[in-house]
Amino acid sequence: MQGKGLIKFFLVLMLLFSMLQLFYMFPTRKVEKDAVDHAEQVAAAYNGDDVYRVKKEARLNYLDSMSGEEILSLPLIGSFTYENLKSKQLALGLDLKGGMSSVLQVDLKDFLTRLSRYSKDPHFNAALNSAEEELKNSQDNYITLFRNAYEKIDAADKKKLAAIFKRDASMSEVINMDMSDVEVIRILREKATETVNLTYGRLKQRIDKLGAIQPNVSLDKNRDLIVVEMPGVENPERARNFLSSSAALEFWNTYRNGDPEVVGKLLQADKILKGLESGEEVEEATAVEFDTIWTQTLDGVGNPTGDSTFTLQPKAQDPFANQGPLLKMLTPNTGAGDLASVNTVFGFADKNKKAAVLKLLNKPEVKSLFPSDSKWLWSKYPFKDIDGDMTKKYELYLIKKNAGSEKAPLEGDVITRTSSGPNQMGKIAVNLSMNNTGAQKWFEMTSNAYNNGGREVAICIDNEVVSAPGVNNGPIPSGNTEITGNFTIQEAQDFANILEVGKLPAKVNSIQEETVGPSLGAKNISSSIKALIIGFALVLMFMVFYYGGAGIVSIIALLLNLVFIFGVLASQNVVLTLPGIAGIVLTIGMAVDANVIIYERIREELRSGKTLLASISDGFKHSYSAIIDANVTTILVALVLYFFGLGPIKGFALVLIIGVLTSLFTAVLLGRMMIDWWTGGDRNLSFWTPPSKGVFANLNIDWMGKRKIAYVLSSVVLVLGLGSMFFFKKFDLGVDFKGGYSYTVAFDNDIDAQTLRDGLGKSDYFGTEPVVKAVDTENSFNIVTSYLINDPSKEAAENALSTLHEGLSAITGSNTGFEEFKSIDAPGDMHLTSSSKVGPTIADDIKTSSLYAGLFALLLIFLYIFIRFNRWQYSLGAVAALFHDSLILLGVFSLFWGILPFSLEINQAFIAALLTVIGYSINDTVVVFDRIREYLGIYTQKSTDEILNLAINSTFSRTIITSLTTMVMLIPLFIFGGGSIKGFAFAILIGII
């Protein structure tokens, strides 16, 4: 303790730093309270039915208006806006605050397809498809899998990769025809890495535009994954559009419904499809003849606007009678009735029918009816009828491609500036400005359209038509143009923001998604804080009861440890989640361990007759080795968790690492400094109380003699557990490991799980019985299904949720609408409180990562113990004990699955708990090993069994006390924690026992 001055300096510095980080919370809390008060006032003045939406929007708008306002000024430090302060605070994760998270995989198959200029080479495309399939079950990145697939093709049959990619302008600069495939793959990997990094950067910019407070965006470079967490986001659908939209803006020429090349072809297509469906011979269909009647559109004062509408009138029979498969789903645009639309629209269909319609239209027998340069596209937004009311129907367009090219005549890379707002006609519009190249091309396109009868130009984003205005008032020379679609103000603003940031260099696919409602988050915070306070209070009382005055020193050290943990977490912008809180609880329990090791050693020295000061000095000196070994092994396990974990598990590992480091500082350095200061003035310091003085003293148990009892007991539990695991396969695999959609739904009325299973399992809904489990809250159920999880389309998640809503409405008789149902925590007699999606790729990734994490943890521990103790027998003994503890824990979860009244789900949180048990177990084992090594040097005349017994007996008090204090911290978490944390706490409790 020569550096007491340095320790005091660091203590003051860390205290000031931590207190400042925690102080930043107070000004922002005031702004957030003002936002709630403002929302209440707005809602009170509102007379409509949608009070929930109005209140939510008012609160978010208030916070948005305050984001750039200065709310705090500190001398020597500076001034802070609301947004500045929020970024410096400890962020709460989804499970504590509500919000949305998503794991996005960069689509490198699409990237390579575009880089090859859409090569038709069959071997190249076969390798692309093979790599995409392999990606679902592999830890390798896409480029490596593509290389492996291409290498398997016989060299005599395939082109050199240089020949395939040479056509692209960017690739022709870096490759030549003499390059080998290996060299081209290296360049592709470099290009892919650059594209992934650019996509990650663009997404971060977009999320800034979204206005999310304290978002967390991280890039997993090894797997080309982007993890996005947006706590507090209350409109998941809007956030989903922000993330998934590649913002590929394109301008296309169009076909009209009355053009000679296409008129009546939908009816022909339907007739052909009907014949195919019935298995009859399909003859060449003849075109149905129509009269096309054009009508000028007039404005409010009767003047022609330049636009026109049309009506198709069949000359003979009704062409829509006796419909086939296409017209059962697609309503043709005849220019009459409620679904009358401009002549560029060919038909209308419901959202869930769009994919099926395109599938029919792309059948070879049907596709050949339409021009080879045409492509079908749907509208981005539902159609508004003649009264301006939004329908549920989407419009079908036929756009005209350039001959021999998939590239649009004009793309969004020419956009220089965007804005949104009402135009002169009062419509919500998005305004675009183009660079000189774009302006020239736009002038050419609009000139051709104007000279060709005021043709329409389709303005598309991500292959969906936003607007298709007719060029009736002359060409547009300046490059400034206006897009009016069926925008709301928010949609137009989002559209403009996305275009301004620019399109993503590559598409991204959501392979995992989670949404949590704010009320569930508030409940989790409340229960976790309650558990933290109760557990902490119990530990403090025990330390004072057992250690007397020394217990008070440990209390001060623990309190400082908590302050430092939260201060460091806040400064590093760590997102605190439920597993993170569990990490803090566990850290407190394990922080006591250092005190216990030291105090128990001091008690031993006092019992041997040494003076107080000599006992303190020797107690600390002989404890350092055990403390360092115990904490290093815990940090090794936490590092493995951090490296292999995703999202909340990574946060848990980080909290554990920070907690171990701060507890070393507070328990060892500060604890020693406080004890030396107190005893330096000839003041006495007790290390026991009358009831605890003789506890565990002179323990003399023949552990080695009783080992056969332990063998029998362990064998019985292991055999039962392994039998349950391998023969009955009783495991409740969570959605993390098997993939699927997981929904937590709350109901106002009584209902049971079996009714939900039977109802949703019908063919009208999921088709197979979902997993339904009751959760903590009354009439709240978790529903897991694999329905549509393998469907890669953008609509799959929405369709799965819509099917769930349909099924639940039929089962319960609920009249809650779909929009209210899916708006997390919206009012209604049933609603979502959370939802998550785990695709097959991420599920397999999690399983593989979990396996690697366990193996690496064991390997690191084996190597560390071998280095520290210099004998492989120590390493083997420790790893054997870890295997034993892990199998016991897995066996207990399997044996009691379906028996205990809470979830024993095997998920990421369970893997974190299992690795924590491994760390905890090795922590205890290392302390015993350390004492064995010490006694081997002292008692050279004793037998090995005697030394082992002595070592276990002398450390037994530390084993029991540390286990009890950790359990005291975990039991309140187990009792008061939410359903998602109960299994985690239970696993660690079993591990400690």
Side-chain angles (χ1 to χ4, degrees), residues 51 87 172 183 307 324 328 358 472 565 593 657 659 706 975 978:
V51 178
S87 67
S172 64
E183 291 175 293
D307 290 330
K328 284 178 181 175
L358 284 186
N472 296 308
I565 288 173
D593 182 47
I657 292 167
K706 295 178 172 56
I975 294 170

Side-chain angles (χ1 to χ4, degrees), residues 191 460 614:
K191 290 275 187 185
C460 308

Side-chain angles (χ1 to χ4, degrees), residues 194-385:
E194 180 185 335
T195 299
V196 170
N197 289 335
L198 279 171
T199 303
Y200 167 64
R202 290 269 171 90
L203 274 174
K204 286 190 75 172
Q205 286 178 281
R206 279 194 191 179
I207 291 165
D208 289 341
K209 295 276 187 184
L210 181 64
I213 303 296
Q214 290 180 288
N216 180 33
V217 189
S218 58
L219 172 63
D220 184 338
K221 293 183 179 180
N222 295 324
R223 292 171 282 190
D224 300 321
L225 298 179
I226 299 170
V227 182
V228 180
E229 294 176 339
M230 295 177 287
V233 165
E234 296 185 17
N235 188 338
E237 194 167 354
R238 180 186 169 218
R240 196 176 293 120
N241 289 335
F242 245 74
L243 295 176
S244 63
S245 172
S246 69
L249 181 68
E250 296 172 330
F251 299 81
W252 295 95
N253 295 311
T254 60
Y255 279 100
R256 283 176 168 171
N257 205 346
D259 286 340
E261 309 100 301
V262 294
V263 68
K265 294 291 177 71
L266 282 179
L267 298 172
Q268 289 180 255
D270 191 55
K271 184 176 179 182
I272 289 172
L273 289 166
K274 189 177 179 184
L276 289 171
E277 193 177 57
S278 63
E280 298 172 1
E281 284 292 324
V282 181
E283 297 179 2
E284 182 65 31
T286 56
V288 180
E289 295 185 4
F290 295 89
D291 287 329
T292 304
I293 300 173
W294 299 90
T295 307
Q296 282 276 12
T297 302
L298 305 180
D299 61 19
V301 294
N303 297 318
T305 63
D307 290 330
S308 56
T309 58
F310 76 102
T311 305
L312 292 178
Q313 290 187 355
K315 287 183 177 178
Q317 60 188 14
D318 179 4
F320 305 125
N322 198 17
Q323 295 172 336
L326 179 62
L327 295 187
K328 284 178 181 175
M329 295 185 289
L330 181 74
T331 304
N333 177 26
T334 62
D338 290 338
L339 292 179
S341 187
V342 294
N343 52 332
T344 324
V345 174
F346 281 66
F348 309 88
D350 292 327
K351 187 174 186 177
N352 61 347
K353 299 291 193 298
K354 293 195 299 180
V357 169
L358 284 186
K359 188 174 180 180
L360 292 176
L361 289 171
N362 285 318
K363 282 181 176 286
E365 299 87 347
V366 172
K367 197 170 183 178
S368 61
L369 292 175
F370 297 93
S372 59
D373 64 352
S374 65
K375 181 168 78 169
W376 295 103
L377 294 179
W378 288 103
S379 62
K380 184 172 181 63
Y381 303 106
F383 170 66
K384 282 186 178 177
D385 63 21

